Amino acid sequence: MAEHKTTEGVYGPGTYTDTEFIPIPQDSQRLLKHLAQITPGFTKDPKILEDVQFTGSDLPVLPVIHAMMAIVSKDILATKGVDTGKISIDTDHAGMYPAMCSLVAINGKTMVEMAKDGSLSKMGKNVEKGAMHANHMRTRSWAIYPTRDKNVWYQVIANLRPQIFFDAYGLDDNAPVKNVDEAYELIKSVISQYSARELEQKNMEHGLCGNTVFSPAGWRKTMMAKALDRHPVIDYEKIVGSADLPPVPFPIVPNDNRPLAGIKVVELARVIAGPVLCALLTSLGAEVVKVQSPNLADPNVLQLSLTPGKYTHPLDLTVEPDCQQLQKILEGADVIVQAFRLRSMKHKGFGLADMVEMARKRNKGLVYVDLNCYGQEGTYAERPGYQQSADAASGCSYIMGRAYGFEEGTGVLPSLPVADMMTGAVGALDVLLALRDRAQHGGSYHASTVLVASNTIQLTPEFGLYQRETVQKVQETFNFAKMTPDQHMEDLLIVVLDGWRSHSDLLQRKEFFAHFKESPFGRDHYILGPLIKFENESASPRWDRSPVPFCFHEKFSWSAV
């Protein structure tokens, strides 16, 4: 593969910028070849890569992981005697994928319109419990702040337990501020008294998330980055000692030619990355039960967009009967996706070793996915983290600050939850590869899917960043409003959606959306549809059932599916 030419330092230390503009369909094909070469277990046959056709405009984001998912799906379906034909991915459609969680319309109203008129909080069940939007202070407890250190900023995250954050910093959750700007200034007056290292220590002591805003070069110097670099981004392997478990052929399901039809998945996850992973699996035909704690908060809009095709079942794992019920559900699963802190499920009896032993007893291998922020080893491995943590750690927030012209060290969140969405796609690819290997060779498999790794691979020379001229062209095309360090992900999503709505036809292209005439939320429920299209339409990903509310299915068993 020809060397990709880049220039160092355009967006600060450790950044690599393309020396010339490459249209996205062409660049996608180039990066597909690159990722195929560096991914263990993926095809090395260049002819297979030619089955993928990228079409669309020049400027959206890259859909390469979805193309790899399509190639493995094609391989799986060949074992069932199904020929998918050619693969196509529209890069305009792919450009909208990072905004999937907010691309919702119900009863003729978009997510933005529902948020403005108050109807969003009344959709389904109010599961946010006021964690982020009960008042202005809580809204700005997720933001990037300057520290006492010169040119060093810090991503503050109150988690979904804001009172712990406010108590830790001696702040009044109900301070009489008039708007989010006043809330930001009040919180800044406290956070800026600390050095970045003091903030790191304080947050770890209180179990809070957060991260120093590193430059890409600064992150690569850390011990945590070096530990993460020892692993490939697409990271799965057969579990030692499971080789004697027999191969498990893919189920044949009448009238369903999708690759994962009949595969059973348990989702132990909330917020975005894990639920996206499992939403992609449902589009590929898998039956997914999303086990939800009735005690934990979650952003309201996600039940409208990230639960298509799923069963959402309430279980309280602090109660023994519910733990026993989860054990029964897990015994029937092919795939387990857990997206809480690394090894946190071990303390409840549902860790990797527990599930591997369960698979041995039933004589049928499984795939166990650990999805987290920082990886499976290193000093931060068991630390909690969100997409914002990964953006700050990896250098992505730093690069955004430089791209927008802020002073050195200032962080601004990427305008879409790219880390979450890419990690979800990487996790789905891990599952496809592991299930393929289980069908061919038997055994159980473990995958590690990491938010920071999904970010850092995009900052390598092989990928390259857009030139400043290209960034300006994107801005001129969509005329996005200003993006700043104080803004929360929801603020930034609204900025992007407003730009798309006002300066393009993207949101009117109904071929990009999945439509449900009726859902538990109302009529004409639209969400962003799957990216992958096969020439054989019967094998293409799709959702047969609409999204459903939080804890919607009070009873669940695999026999009833």
Side-chain angles (χ1 to χ4, degrees):
M1 184 175 172
E3 180 184 359
H4 180 57
K5 295 181 180 180
T6 58
T7 300
E8 290 191 47
V10 172
Y11 297 104
T15 62
Y16 302 92
T17 304
D18 294 344
T19 58
E20 61 181 8
F21 174 71
I22 306 173
I24 287 299
Q26 180 183 338
D27 212 18
S28 296
Q29 197 69 52
R30 178 185 70 81
L31 284 167
L32 175 58
K33 293 176 182 177
H34 168 65
L35 287 173
Q37 288 176 352
I38 67 172
T39 298
F42 195 74
T43 180
K44 298 299 185 285
D45 183 353
K47 292 183 179 179
I48 293 177
L49 305 184
E50 294 173 3
D51 280 341
V52 181
Q53 180 182 18
F54 296 102
T55 60
S57 303
D58 290 350
L59 291 176
V61 299
L62 296 167
V64 176
I65 299 298
H66 286 79
M68 297 174 77
M69 289 167 51
I71 289 169
V72 182
S73 295
K74 182 181 180 73
D75 197 17
I76 289 169
L77 286 171
T79 69
K80 299 184 181 187
V82 177
D83 181 10
T84 66
K86 296 288 185 180
I87 301 162
S88 63
I89 295 179
D90 188 299
T91 58
D92 293 336
H93 191 179
M96 300 168 70
Y97 169 72
M100 176 182 173
C101 61
S102 60
L103 289 173
V104 179
I106 302 172
N107 299 327
K109 294 181 181 180
T110 66
M111 186 276 286
V112 175
E113 291 168 333
M114 288 187 284
K116 288 179 178 178
D117 70 13
S119 60
L120 180 62
S121 63
K122 300 174 184 178
M123 287 286 179
K125 297 183 180 180
N126 185 5
V127 295
E128 188 182 295
K129 304 180 188 297
M132 290 187 290
H133 296 102
N135 57 44
H136 299 313
M137 291 291 285
R138 291 193 178 188
T139 298
R140 285 299 177 256
S141 65
W142 295 61
I144 300 177
Y145 289 92
T147 71
R148 193 177 69 220
D149 303 322
K150 184 179 179 181
N151 297 332
V152 179
W153 289 59
Y154 194 89
Q155 172 69 65
V156 167
I157 303 174
N159 297 23
L160 292 169
R161 301 173 297 164
Q163 201 56 54
I164 295 175
F165 166 78
F166 288 109
D167 289 346
Y169 287 96
L171 284 159
D172 181 3
D173 184 8
N174 295 301
V177 294
K178 297 177 182 178
N179 51 48
V180 290
D181 294 331
E182 287 190 10
Y184 182 80
E185 291 302 319
L186 178 55
I187 296 173
K188 183 173 76 171
S189 71
V190 173
I191 297 298
S192 61
Q193 296 178 28
Y194 293 86
S195 70
R197 289 190 178 187
E198 288 169 342
L199 290 167
E200 290 286 304
Q201 183 63 34
K202 194 173 187 68
N203 286 340
M204 285 191 280
E205 288 173 357
H206 290 273
L208 295 167
C209 302
N211 212 103
T212 302
V213 175
F214 285 106
S215 70
W219 170 250
R220 291 176 194 135
K221 292 176 183 177
T222 68
M223 294 299 295
M224 188 60 226
K226 293 173 182 177
L228 192 56
D229 280 348
R230 290 194 281 268
H231 301 270
V233 174
I234 301 159
D235 187 11
Y236 80 103
E237 60 183 0
K238 181 183 281 189
I239 294 170
V240 174
S242 70
D244 59 335
L245 291 174
V248 181
F250 284 93
I252 303 296
V253 178
N255 303 316
D256 195 340
N257 283 335
R258 291 175 295 173
L260 297 187
I263 293 293
K264 298 178 174 64
V265 180
V266 177
E267 175 188 325
L268 303 169
R270 58 179 179 157
V271 196
I272 298 179
V276 164
L277 190 168
C278 293
L280 294 174
L281 298 182
T282 59
S283 76
L284 294 167
E287 294 290 354
V288 174
V289 55
K290 178 179 177 66
V291 174
Q292 297 179 302
S293 168
N295 305 318
L296 295 178
D298 211 0
N300 281 334
V301 69
L302 303 184
Q303 60 186 316
L304 310 182
S305 57
L306 300 185
T307 60
K310 298 180 185 178
Y311 300 89
T312 59
H313 181 51
L315 288 178
D316 180 354
L317 299 188
T318 66
V319 178
E320 184 57 29
D322 283 13
C323 288
Q324 293 174 1
Q325 187 178 350
L326 177 58
Q327 181 66 42
K328 291 179 181 178
I329 293 172
L330 291 169
E331 288 171 359
D334 298 289
V335 179
I336 300 168
V337 176
Q338 89 81 22
F340 295 95
R341 285 188 304 107
L342 184 66
R343 289 184 278 275
S344 62
M345 297 306 294
K346 175 182 177 181
H347 306 302
K348 301 182 183 298
F350 307 114
L352 175 62
D354 303 298
M355 296 299 97
V356 169
E357 180 58 24
M358 179 200 73
R360 175 165 296 285
K361 288 180 178 178
R362 72 182 189 182
N363 199 38
K364 179 184 178 183
L366 58 76
V367 178
Y368 191 98
V369 180
D370 273 311
L371 189 156
N372 57 46
C373 187
Y374 297 104
Q376 57 183 300
E377 63 167 312
T379 53
Y380 278 24
E382 294 190 21
R383 188 177 179 186
Y386 290 88
Q387 165 242 321
Q388 292 91 333
S389 314
D391 291 336
S394 62
C396 288
S397 295
Y398 173 94
I399 289 171
M400 299 304 291
R402 290 293 294 265
Y404 296 144
F406 288 99
E407 65 181 31
E408 169 63 27
T410 308
V412 178
L413 274 179
S415 55
L416 296 172
V418 175
D420 272 328
M421 300 303 296
M422 183 170 176
T423 302
V426 167
L429 177 57
D430 281 329
V431 169
L432 285 164
L433 288 165
L435 287 172
R436 179 206 63 187
D437 287 3
R438 186 184 72 156
Q440 294 176 352
H441 310 295
S444 287
Y445 295 80
H446 179 221
S448 181
T449 309
V450 184
L451 290 166
V452 175
S454 295
N455 272 344
T456 54
I457 193 172
Q458 298 175 76
L459 306 183
T460 60
E462 290 79 9
F463 272 68
L465 298 169
Y466 276 146
Q467 299 164 300
R468 288 192 180 276
E469 295 84 355
T470 305
V471 173
Q472 182 59 34
K473 186 175 180 180
V474 172
Q475 176 61 27
E476 290 171 357
T477 300
F478 296 104
N479 195 26
F480 295 123
K482 190 173 183 179
M483 303 185 195
T484 55
D486 59 299
Q487 289 175 309
H488 186 278
M489 182 52 63
E490 184 177 300
D491 301 321
L492 296 166
L493 279 165
I494 290 172
V495 168
V496 172
L497 295 181
D498 281 344
W500 285 351
R501 184 183 66 251
S502 301
H503 302 284
S504 77
D505 68 345
L506 287 173
L507 301 183
Q508 282 71 52
R509 296 179 66 175
K510 292 193 174 181
E511 69 270 23
F512 291 164
F513 291 84
H515 175 220
F516 307 93
K517 290 183 179 180
E518 300 277 356
S519 84
F521 301 100
R523 295 183 57 82
D524 290 322
H525 190 154
Y526 286 89
I527 62 173
L528 191 72
L531 270 61
I532 298 168
K533 304 294 182 186
F534 291 126
E535 189 176 2
N536 177 354
E537 292 185 8
S538 71
S540 288
R542 65 180 185 276
W543 288 299
D544 291 334
R545 300 193 304 275
S546 73
V548 293
F550 182 77
C551 298
F552 186 64
H553 301 92
E554 293 187 4
K555 296 182 179 180
F556 178 84
S557 67
W558 291 119
S559 61
V561 172

